[in-house]
Amino acid sequence: MENLIGLLVAAPLLGAAVLLCGGRALDRAGHWIGTLLAAVSLGIGLVLFAELLGRPGDDRTLRGHVFSWIPVEGFQADVAFRLDQLSMTFVLLITGVGTLIHLYSVGYMAQDERRRRFFGYLNLFLAAMLLLVLADNYLLLYVGWEGVGLASYLLIGFWQHKPSAATAAKKAFIVNRVGDMGLSIAIMLMFTTFGTFAFEPVLASAENASEGKLTAIGLMLLLAACGKSAQVPLQSWLGDAMEGPTPVSALIHAATMVTAGVYLITRSGAIFNGAPDAQLAVVTVGAVTLLFGAIVGCAKDDIKKALAGSTMSQIGYMVLAAGLGPIGYAFAIMHLVTHGFFKAGLFLGAGSVMHGMNDEVDMRKYGGLRRYMPITFVTFGLGYLAIIGFPGLSGFWSKDKIIEAAFAKGGTEGWILGGAALLGAALTAYYMTRVMLMTFFGEKRWQPAPSPDAPSAEPAAAHGGAAADAAEPAAVHGGGGQPAAPGGGGMPHPHESPSTMTIPMILLAFGSVFAGGLFSLNDAFVTWLKPVTDFQHGHSPLSATTVTVATVVALVIGLGTAWVQYGRRPVPVVAPRGSVLTRAARRDLLQDDFNRAVLVKPGQQLTGALVELDHAVVDGAVRGTAVSVGALSHGLRAFQNGFARSYAVSMFGGAAVLIAATLLMRAV
C-alpha cells in the first residue's frame, strides 16, 4: 500500500506534463485527460482510506520512501511521504473537490481556445497540493508549498490579456513570497535547533527545546500561514485573485490552497503547544481576520468578491481554532472540510449565475434568478444555509464547535475570542443573506451589456473571442444551453447551466447538508484525528446548549437585518454612497491603501534614495577617481613633451635645487 502513496501525486503530475507538453494534438481531449487523472488520484485516495480504516486507531500511519534527495554528512533530505489521519483527510478533500471542479470546468471552459493548458494547470495544482500534505518533512513540504504558489499564479492570471488578471496574479505571487520567507526561515531554525526537519523527530523533540526558539519557529510558521491562507496582514491578494476563472476561485480559494496554512499550524501543533506567545499570535490573527473578512463581505456588490471576503472570514475561524491548541485542532480541520464543500459549491454556483448572465458579476444587476436557474438556486441556497450555520447543516456542526472551544479558552481571553466568533456568525448570516436576496429574489434588474461595437469595448476576436472589458471572457462558457453572447452585447437571457456544471454543484450540495452531521455522529471526526491532534476537551463557562442558542440568535439577527434592507425594499441598481465604514469596506477596509502608504511608498522612496546615493557617492567616487587621474596625467604630460630644451631646463633646475639644499644643510 505504501507504493500507492506516490501515485497520488504522480497521477495529476503526469496529467500536467502530458497536457502542457503534448501540443495542440491534445486540444480536443485534453480536458477529459485532466479530469480522468484527477479522478484516478481520487480513486487511489479512497483505496488508501479504506486501508487506514481497517487498521487500529494508533497504527494508521503509512510511510513511503522514494529516494534520498540530498544525502550529505550532517544533512539528510529525503523524498518521502507520510499518510496519516490528517494528511488522509486533506487527500480526500483535495482529490474529491478537485475532481468535481475539473468536471465543472469541462462545461465552464468549453469555448476557451486554451482549455487544454487550463486543465494542465489544474492538474499541476493538484499535484503540488498533494505533495504539500503528504510530505514527511518540512523541506519537501516547502517544495509543494512553492508549487502551489506557482500553479495559483498561472491560474489566477490565466486570462493574462486582461491587465487586471495579470496584476492580480503578480500581486498574489509577491504577497505569498513574503509568507514563504517565513516558512524558509522556520525550516532553517528547525535544522539549527533539532538537527533535522523531518516531522517525527522535530515534533517529538519540541518539548525539550527552549520556549524562545519554539516561539521564533512558531511565529515564522504563522507568517507563512498568513500568506497562503490570506490572513491579516497578508490578506490583500485574495479579493483580486477573483480575476481568475471561477473554477480557480472554487479550487484554490475555497477548498485547498487557502487551507494550507491551517494544515501547517495543525501539523506543527507540538511546536505551538510549547510556545504560548506564538499561540496567542495565532488566535489573534484568526479573530481579527474572521471579522475583517466578514465586514468586507458585507459591502461587496461583486458576487465573487463577496464570497472572497467570506472565505477570508471562514479561514479566520479555522486559524482561531488551530491557535487554541489541542482543544481546537480537530474542530479547525472539521470546519475546513465542511467549508470545502459549501464554499466550493457557492463559488461554482456564482459561476453558474455568471454563465447565464453574460458574465455579469454585479449583484445589483441580478434579481429573481431563482425562476430561471432552479438547480443553481437550490444548490447555492443549501450552501448558503450551511455557511450561515443553519441548524442541522454542515456549518452548524463545525462552526458551533469552534465558538464553544473559543469560550473554553478561559478567562478574559476566552470571552473576547468567543464574542468575536459570535459577532462573526451574525455578520456571516448578514452578508450571505444579502447575496441570496440580491441574486435570486426580488424583481429582475438586468440591463443590456455594453455593445461590442461601442468605442470602449475591444473586438471580441482580439483575444480569441474574449472581451477584454468583461469580468470573465464571455465566450468561454458555451458548454450547453443558451450560449453567452460573444463580447457581452445585448440583454442577458438567464438559463440553467449544462449538466457538466450542475452535477458537481449537486454533489457538493449533498456535502453541504450532510457532512457535518456525519462527522459529529459519535464524535467520529474528532476520534479519527485524535492520534494526530492529541484532542483534549475544553471547559467552557457556557454550556453547549447556551452556545448553540447564542449562535442561532446571532444568525437570526444577521438574517433579519439583511431581510429588512434587501428583502423588503427594492435594491437600487446603483449602490448608495453609504456610511464611512461601508465605503471603507468596499475598498477592502483600505488594506491596499495601507500597504501602499506603509510598504510601497517608503520602499519606492528608499529605492530612490539608494539610486541617488549610488549616483552621487558610488558613481561619484568612480568618476572622481577618473577625473583626478586624468588631471594628474595632464599635469605630468607637460614634463614629457619631447623637447630637449625642456628636459635640459628640468635637469638644470633639479641640479640647482639639489645644490641649494646641500649648501643649506651644511650651513645649518
Side-chain angles (χ1 to χ4, degrees):
M1 283 295 176
E2 287 79 358
N3 295 330
L4 289 178
I5 302 176
L7 294 179
L8 282 169
V9 181
L13 188 60
L14 174 63
V18 169
L19 294 177
L20 296 177
C21 302
R24 293 190 174 277
L26 297 176
D27 281 355
R28 297 185 63 181
H31 49 291
W32 291 118
I33 293 173
T35 303
L36 175 62
L37 287 170
V40 167
S41 192
L42 171 60
I44 296 171
L46 291 172
V47 171
L48 290 169
F49 179 56
E51 169 67 16
L52 292 188
L53 283 179
R55 295 180 171 221
D58 57 353
D59 185 32
R60 288 175 173 167
T61 300
L62 298 176
R63 294 178 179 82
H65 182 274
V66 183
F67 61 90
S68 294
W69 179 15
I70 311 175
V72 297
E73 184 177 357
F75 187 92
Q76 181 73 29
D78 295 329
V79 174
F81 299 123
R82 176 190 182 89
L83 185 68
D84 56 18
Q85 291 91 327
L86 180 60
S87 52
M88 186 75 253
T89 301
F90 275 84
V91 164
L92 293 178
L93 177 66
I94 294 165
T95 57
V97 175
T99 300
L100 292 177
I101 291 173
H102 274 71
L103 180 60
Y104 178 94
S105 300
V106 170
Y108 192 87
M109 304 293 289
Q111 302 302 318
D112 196 294
E113 293 181 353
R114 299 168 66 240
R115 179 167 62 169
R116 170 182 54 82
R117 184 178 295 273
F118 180 78
F119 276 82
Y121 292 159
L122 286 183
N123 272 197
L124 178 63
F125 177 85
L126 283 189
M129 193 67 201
L130 288 168
L131 179 63
L132 190 159
V133 300
L134 288 169
D136 191 41
N137 59 75
Y138 284 96
L139 190 60
L140 187 60
L141 179 149
Y142 187 78
V143 176
W145 192 272
E146 292 301 310
V148 167
L150 170 62
S152 68
Y153 167 78
L154 295 171
L155 287 166
I156 294 169
F158 182 74
W159 287 321
Q160 69 266 29
H161 60 268
K162 297 168 53 183
S164 56
T167 301
K170 289 186 289 186
K171 184 176 183 180
F173 192 81
I174 292 171
V175 173
N176 273 271
R177 297 295 72 74
V178 177
D180 295 351
M181 284 297 297
L183 182 55
S184 63
I185 293 172
I187 294 172
M188 296 176 198
L189 290 173
M190 288 176 193
F191 188 77
T192 58
T193 302
F194 305 108
T196 181
F197 34 70
F199 288 148
E200 275 199 10
V202 167
L203 300 179
S205 304
E207 60 182 10
N208 300 321
S210 68
E211 184 176 321
K213 289 183 177 180
L214 292 179
T215 299
I217 295 173
L219 291 177
M220 290 299 100
L221 292 174
L222 174 60
L223 179 62
C226 287
K228 201 66 76 183
S229 295
Q231 299 292 285
V232 172
L234 301 180
Q235 80 288 2
S236 61
W237 65 271
L238 187 64
D240 292 341
M242 297 301 108
E243 290 292 335
T246 297
V248 175
S249 302
L251 179 64
I252 295 179
H253 310 122
T256 53
M257 173 177 157
V258 290
T259 62
V262 182
Y263 170 80
L264 182 65
I265 295 173
T266 304
R267 175 64 76 187
S268 308
I271 294 173
F272 286 95
N273 294 342
D277 291 339
Q279 274 192 331
L280 178 61
V282 173
V283 295
T284 302
V285 166
V288 170
T289 307
L290 76 87
L291 294 177
F292 187 103
I295 293 171
V296 169
C298 290
K300 293 293 186 181
D301 292 332
D302 183 317
I303 188 170
K304 287 177 67 177
K305 291 193 175 183
L307 294 178
S310 171
T311 297
M312 192 187 306
S313 178
Q314 297 303 308
I315 301 295
Y317 271 106
M318 302 171 206
V319 172
L320 168 62
L324 296 174
I327 67 174
Y329 290 136
F331 300 136
I333 303 302
M334 180 176 173
H335 192 54
L336 184 152
V337 177
T338 59
H339 176 264
F341 285 113
F342 54 70
K343 183 55 64 64
L346 289 170
F347 268 115
L348 297 188
S352 179
V353 169
M354 293 165 59
H355 167 80
M357 292 295 292
N358 286 5
D359 291 297
E360 179 62 67
V361 295
D362 189 349
M363 294 184 293
R364 294 185 179 276
K365 298 177 182 178
Y366 290 166
L369 292 180
R370 69 185 188 280
R371 297 188 294 272
Y372 303 90
M373 310 178 72
I375 298 177
T376 300
F377 167 63
V378 172
T379 55
F380 193 98
L382 291 174
Y384 151 73
L385 292 175
I387 194 174
I388 68 173
F390 190 85
L393 274 70
S394 290
F396 168 80
W397 299 105
S398 57
K399 191 159 60 177
D400 270 26
K401 291 294 185 181
I402 293 177
I403 297 173
E404 187 178 342
F407 280 111
K409 182 68 175 177
T412 304
E413 184 181 344
W415 285 102
I416 293 174
L417 295 176
L422 278 176
L423 178 58
L427 292 173
T428 301
Y430 173 82
Y431 67 70
M432 285 306 306
T433 302
R434 177 178 179 269
V435 169
M436 279 295 296
L437 294 174
M438 293 178 70
T439 302
F440 295 103
F441 292 88
E443 298 299 322
K444 63 180 183 180
R445 302 179 297 277
W446 316 329
Q447 296 180 354
S451 170
D453 298 325
S456 60
E458 287 192 32
H463 300 299
D469 59 340
E472 293 188 3
V476 301
H477 301 164
Q482 184 175 346
M491 180 69 74
H493 297 283
H495 56 279
E496 192 55 87
S497 300
S499 58
T500 53
M501 295 170 64
T502 56
I503 290 174
M505 292 159 55
I506 292 170
L507 294 176
L508 289 169
F510 273 97
S512 301
V513 174
F514 299 111
L518 292 175
F519 293 162
S520 298
L521 191 63
N522 297 323
D523 288 330
F525 196 83
V526 171
T527 303
W528 164 257
L529 285 181
K530 188 174 181 178
V532 182
T533 60
D534 191 26
F535 176 74
Q536 298 176 11
H537 286 284
H539 302 286
S540 174
L542 303 177
S543 67
T545 302
T546 302
V547 171
T548 299
V549 171
T551 305
V552 172
V553 170
L555 183 157
V556 171
I557 292 174
L559 190 155
T561 304
W563 170 255
V564 170
Q565 291 184 350
Y566 297 95
R568 298 184 60 184
R569 304 173 186 172
V571 177
V573 176
V574 178
R577 189 165 184 266
S579 64
V580 174
L581 179 60
T582 299
R583 295 197 299 274
R586 287 173 184 158
R587 298 176 59 185
D588 300 327
L589 291 181
L590 309 180
Q591 56 184 311
D592 284 331
D593 301 79
F594 176 83
N595 291 341
R596 191 174 298 111
V598 175
L599 300 174
V600 176
K601 286 188 176 180
Q604 291 174 335
Q605 293 170 353
L606 176 61
T607 302
L610 291 175
V611 170
E612 290 298 325
L613 178 66
D614 181 67
H615 287 321
V617 178
V618 179
D619 289 350
V622 173
R623 288 193 298 268
T625 302
V627 170
S628 300
V629 171
L632 179 61
S633 300
H634 183 74
L636 292 175
R637 196 162 51 242
F639 297 97
Q640 299 290 330
N641 54 17
F643 294 110
R645 60 179 179 272
S646 298
Y647 298 155
V649 171
S650 299
M651 293 170 64
F652 177 78
V657 170
L658 288 174
I659 293 171
T662 302
L663 293 175
L664 180 62
M665 291 178 64
R666 285 185 176 182
V668 175

